[in-house]
Amino acid sequence: MTFSEKVFATGIVPVVVLNNVEDALPLSKALLKGGIDFMEITFRTECAADCIEVISREVPEMTVGAGTVLNVSQARLAVGKGAKFIVSPGLDEETVRWCLDNDIPVVPGTVTPTEIMKAISLGLKVVKFFPADVYGGIKAIKALSAPFGQIKFLPTGGVSESNLGEFIGNKSVAAVGGSWVCKKDDILNHDWDKITALSSNAIKIIKETRS
Ligand code: 3PG
């Protein structure tokens, strides 16, 4: 399966912020138990690379990637630790080219037609649409998918249980990104059961919407 087929099959990429490497394994297992086998660990904390390393080594069923990747050196570090894909809030051409040269799926953030055209010219088929709620949400994706029918979007930012269905119901949406299934406080409180419950509910909505 290609990256875009895999990410479509799951339908959701949790955006994870981890402050302690000890939380990496229980969190990844809680997501898996809820049916989510994708996660993006953001390079916003010191331990992000170590969290990626431990998950990629110990939980092979989980496809773990790195998020908030701003440059080539972070991409190289993440991939060296086992990241299977790279997500960026915006489009850094050098980072995209490095990933493509190294056969690493890369999903840069785009919101304007010009940015999407840049992504297409680099050979990409999936882009992040971020911050989705601020830049017009599903209405904007519908408008952008007219000229860019070959592109699939990963809307992220402001996606939640309440609007998940409207995003997933659109054929130009590969999957959604979001932090609502693994909120900061739930991680802090080690509320793994809640994370599993939120994950399985998200998967249920995705399946129901697509069926
Ligand atoms: C982020 O970068 O934090 C993501 O866009 C997550 O957004 P969310 O918290 O609104 O899901």
Side-chain angles (χ1 to χ4, degrees):
M1 253 202 258
T2 64
F3 172 78
S4 56
E5 287 166 345
K6 265 170 93 171
V7 80
F8 176 83
T10 303
I12 176 171
V13 181
V15 174
V16 179
V17 182
L18 281 171
N19 286 294
N20 297 301
V21 74
E22 294 76 27
D23 294 339
L25 283 182
L27 174 62
S28 64
K29 288 174 183 169
L31 292 168
L32 269 181
K33 204 168 159 192
I36 297 180
D37 58 0
F38 257 85
M39 67 194 289
E40 169 195 329
I41 298 192
T42 55
F43 262 60
R44 299 178 199 177
T45 57
E46 287 290 313
C47 67
D50 290 338
C51 292
I52 290 170
E53 181 173 41
V54 73
I55 294 167
S56 74
R57 192 180 59 228
E58 307 281 337
V59 193
E61 315 92 284
M62 175 60 76
T63 300
V64 61
T68 322
V69 171
L70 306 181
N71 51 49
V72 173
S73 61
Q74 286 179 328
R76 190 183 285 121
L77 172 62
V79 171
K81 297 282 189 178
K84 304 293 183 295
F85 63 94
I86 296 293
V87 181
S88 296
L91 195 159
D92 176 60
E93 191 171 334
E94 207 190 340
T95 303
V96 171
R97 285 192 193 283
W98 183 88
C99 290
L100 294 174
D101 288 347
N102 288 279
D103 283 330
I104 300 297
V106 56
V107 188
T110 60
V111 284
T112 66
T114 303
E115 290 162 348
I116 295 166
M117 285 168 67
K118 184 79 212 172
I120 292 170
S121 76
L122 288 163
L124 300 180
K125 296 189 169 56
V126 182
V127 294
K128 179 170 169 170
F129 183 66
F130 170 78
D133 53 349
V134 176
Y135 282 98
I138 191 61
K139 202 173 163 200
I141 289 177
K142 280 181 186 161
L144 290 165
S145 65
F148 303 122
Q150 73 274 50
I151 282 287
K152 300 284 185 217
F153 294 94
L154 178 72
T156 308
V159 183
S160 64
E161 252 177 38
S162 62
N163 61 10
L164 173 60
E166 72 183 35
F167 282 105
I168 281 295
N170 187 286
K171 66 174 177 34
S172 290
V173 171
V176 300
S179 65
W180 86 94
V181 295
C182 48
K183 295 188 194 83
K184 193 174 159 214
D185 283 353
D186 295 337
I187 296 173
L188 198 67
N189 296 328
H190 291 179
D191 200 344
W192 312 125
D193 288 345
K194 183 170 171 199
I195 289 170
T196 295
L198 287 165
S199 300
S200 62
N201 203 42
I203 293 294
K204 185 168 164 260
I205 294 169
I206 292 166
K207 286 193 172 143
E208 282 173 3
T209 306
R210 284 176 174 167
S211 68

